Amino acid sequence: MHDLIRDMALQIAGPEFIVGLTDFLAEEKWGRDLVKVSLMRNSISEFPYISPRCPKLSSLLLQDNDLCGSIPDPFFVHLRGLNVLDLSNTRIESLPGSVSDLENLSTLRLTQCQNLKHVPSLAKLTALRKLDLMKSRIKEIPHGLEMLVNLRYLGLDAPISEADAGEVLFREEKVASAPAVPPGTFSRLTKFSIFRCPNIKTLFTPGLLPNLGNLEEIDVRCCEQLEEIISGESDEDKEGEAEEEIEEAGMGSNGIFHKLRVLALSDLPELKTICNGSNVIVCDSVQQIWIGQCPKLKRLPLSLPQTNGQLSSPPSSLRIEIKKEWWELLEWGNHDTKNVLEPYCQFFE
């Protein structure tokens, strides 16, 4: 009966699809007209040592399998048309170097690959729009990440080594020093998530701010040494003086993250600042702010637009989730901003 059902499925699908485990293991079944391979949850334990020649293959979905170890390098050599590669929730330990040549790849999902330690260079994958490495175990930031100018979503969740990342995760100097780096690196990024990177102290340097204008979601959690989202000046005294001058004057602020809808910061015991005193997040698109377990954070750089000299109300959909005691301890350049925003708070214990 199972063979009959399988034969019917193959007849309906035609030669453009692989739907059976037996076909996955046999190289002759990987025809040149193959378009999609979907074998999720098939108890596949290893990649066959084959080199399929499938120029039309656009999707390879192998998530939720028992795949383990390394993938043979020849496997991806002739799959240059691949758009979507999903290996989520498998036990693979590394990706082969041939993945670096998949220049048409737009989605690479490696979520919950908890044995994954190495990803090859991504420098050529400039069509990549989604890179998901959440709950992996990579030990270094993939080479060429700064070349992904079309990236919309970046998810990192790994024990990045301090030797590799240093104190700053992304810096404009790193981009500028690379040869032939396209302008606008990260300029299309809309969602950024980073969890459990214990050695990072700063995410971005100020020089990258102009490229982050399309960010809609920032989600940062469980980074024990993180001190700032966007670094300020290296001279702390100058930074402090600048903040005081701006707060006293009530002017000179630069709006950042104009499209930001969600800001989530949690379990960041060393976080002191989101950005320096000259930058503010204007609350005209923000819908959700969640601050939890950030005991050293003293300032929320939120700003409200003014109409006829009066602060305007934020969007009615705005929700700020924070502890009441932390809210009361926050420092504000304009205390009226706190009063306007407080009705939008949902305090938790």
Side-chain angles (χ1 to χ4, degrees):
M1 179 61 71
H2 291 295
D3 290 340
L4 178 60
I5 294 175
R6 176 183 175 279
D7 291 342
M8 291 177 62
L10 287 172
Q11 185 175 1
I12 294 172
E16 295 85 8
F17 298 88
I18 280 184
V19 295
L21 175 58
T22 303
D23 291 344
F24 175 71
L25 298 174
E27 185 167 359
E28 63 271 14
K29 295 293 186 179
W30 293 72
R32 296 186 63 84
D33 292 327
L34 196 63
V35 174
K36 183 175 182 179
V37 173
S38 180
L39 288 170
M40 60 189 79
R41 294 182 289 277
N42 263 272
S43 301
I44 303 173
S45 59
E46 62 180 353
F47 266 82
Y49 197 89
I50 60 176
S51 184
R53 295 177 180 272
C54 307
K56 298 180 182 179
L57 186 66
S58 63
S59 297
L60 180 56
L61 309 179
L62 296 171
Q63 63 267 37
D64 301 315
N65 277 293
D66 295 327
L67 290 164
C68 60
S70 300
I71 301 172
D73 190 71
F75 191 87
F76 292 105
V77 169
H78 302 294
L79 302 181
R80 300 295 180 85
L82 204 60
N83 296 133
V84 178
L85 175 59
D86 194 337
L87 293 164
S88 300
N89 197 25
T90 62
R91 294 185 292 155
I92 59 171
E93 297 178 5
S94 64
L95 293 182
S98 54
V99 168
S100 299
D101 294 321
L102 301 180
E103 297 182 15
N104 289 305
L105 203 64
S106 62
T107 298
L108 177 57
R109 297 192 69 240
L110 300 165
T111 317
Q112 297 192 49
C113 291
Q114 298 189 12
N115 292 339
L116 182 65
K117 298 177 181 178
H118 173 70
V119 174
S121 174
L122 304 177
K124 294 182 182 180
L125 309 189
T126 55
L128 203 62
R129 296 165 61 96
K130 181 173 184 177
L131 175 61
D132 196 341
L133 291 162
M134 300 299 288
K135 296 187 178 179
S136 68
R137 286 293 180 268
I138 59 170
K139 295 185 178 297
E140 57 185 21
I141 298 170
H143 175 265
L145 193 64
E146 68 275 9
M147 302 293 287
L148 307 182
V149 295
N150 289 302
L151 203 62
R152 264 67 165 180
Y153 171 80
L154 173 61
L156 288 173
D157 175 6
I160 303 295
S161 68
E162 189 169 3
D164 175 73
E167 295 185 350
V168 182
L169 186 60
F170 300 115
R171 65 176 78 235
E172 73 275 12
E173 294 88 352
K174 182 176 181 181
V175 174
S177 63
V181 173
T185 297
F186 298 143
S187 62
R188 298 188 180 185
L189 194 66
T190 60
K191 184 174 181 179
F192 176 77
S193 300
I194 180 169
F195 299 175
R196 287 182 283 273
C197 290
N199 298 314
I200 302 300
K201 293 187 177 181
T202 299
L203 292 186
F204 303 104
T205 48
L208 281 178
L209 268 179
N211 295 356
L212 302 175
N214 284 315
L215 266 178
E216 297 178 6
E217 298 184 29
I218 300 175
D219 191 353
V220 185
R221 309 183 197 184
C222 303
C223 299
E224 289 89 344
Q225 295 189 45
L226 186 69
E227 297 179 0
E228 49 191 358
I229 304 300
I230 301 166
S231 65
E233 297 181 45
S234 58
D235 189 329
E236 294 182 0
D237 293 333
K238 288 183 179 180
E239 181 179 339
E241 292 174 3
E243 289 185 10
E244 290 178 5
E245 291 174 1
I246 290 168
E247 289 178 0
E248 290 175 2
M251 58 186 295
S253 298
N254 300 314
I256 60 174
F257 301 142
H258 292 281
K259 296 183 179 181
L260 192 68
R261 295 186 299 105
V262 177
L263 175 64
L265 305 172
S266 176
D267 296 289
L268 307 172
E270 297 298 322
L271 183 66
K272 298 179 179 68
T273 61
I274 295 174
C275 55
N276 64 34
S278 63
N279 294 311
V280 294
I281 300 173
V282 180
C283 295
D284 50 7
S285 60
V286 180
Q287 297 178 8
Q288 182 178 4
I289 297 173
W290 177 39
I291 309 293
Q293 301 298 326
C294 301
K296 294 186 178 181
L297 185 63
K298 301 301 182 185
R299 174 176 172 265
L300 278 182
L302 303 178
S303 176
L304 294 168
Q306 294 191 10
T307 303
N308 298 325
Q310 299 294 320
L311 293 178
S312 301
S313 297
S316 58
S317 59
L318 176 63
R319 185 172 75 253
I320 302 174
E321 299 181 52
I322 190 172
K323 279 189 174 183
K324 176 71 172 178
E325 59 189 272
W326 291 350
W327 176 260
E328 296 298 337
L329 292 173
L330 289 174
E331 300 170 359
W332 300 86
N334 184 342
H335 199 75
D336 290 340
T337 302
K338 175 187 177 183
N339 295 333
V340 173
L341 291 175
E342 188 159 331
Y344 298 86
C345 290
Q346 294 185 1
F347 299 116
F348 59 86
E349 296 298 326

